[in-house]
């Protein structure tokens, strides 16, 4: 699914990805959404906010990776 992402004054969308062996869900978003922030909020629906940490950025490709905390994302779709 596609999720709303907010960080500081930036906002946009992101999508969930799975990485084999990694229990924490990851969200891919645009780098300009998170700008220079280290923390972001991912909204799984209109009311469910999950805090996220910016773990990787590539400003040239305008991509960023957010990590959602394990156990804080029960509403996230399960990745197989």
């Amino acid at each position: 699914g596609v999720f709303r992402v907010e960080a500081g004054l930036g906002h946009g969308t992101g999508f969930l990805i799975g990485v084999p062996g990694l229990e924490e869900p990851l969200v891919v978003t645009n780098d300009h959404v998170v700008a220079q922030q280290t923390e972001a909020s991912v909204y799984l629906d209109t009311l469910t906010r999950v805090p996220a940490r910016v773990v990787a950025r590539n400003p040239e490709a305008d991509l960023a990776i957010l990590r959602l905390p394990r156990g804080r994302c029960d509403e996230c779709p399960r990745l197989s």
Side-chain angles (χ1 to χ4, degrees):
V2 176
F3 305 107
R4 188 176 77 196
V5 177
E6 294 181 357
L9 297 176
H11 62 277
T13 58
F15 60 92
L16 198 64
I17 62 169
V19 176
L22 184 66
E23 292 185 26
E24 295 92 350
L26 300 176
V27 173
V28 176
T29 190
N30 294 104
D31 181 66
H32 72 267
V33 171
V34 296
Q36 300 297 320
Q37 305 296 315
T38 59
E39 303 286 327
S41 295
V42 176
Y43 290 85
L44 306 180
D45 55 41
T46 56
L47 299 175
T48 308
R49 177 191 165 276
V50 176
R53 193 165 45 97
V54 178
V55 295
R57 297 177 58 236
N58 184 326
E60 293 79 26
D62 196 26
L63 292 174
I65 304 290
L66 312 178
R67 180 175 286 173
L68 303 177
R70 185 177 352 156
R72 290 291 314 270
C73 194
D74 294 334
E75 297 86 358
C76 286
R78 295 293 171 229
L79 301 171
S80 53

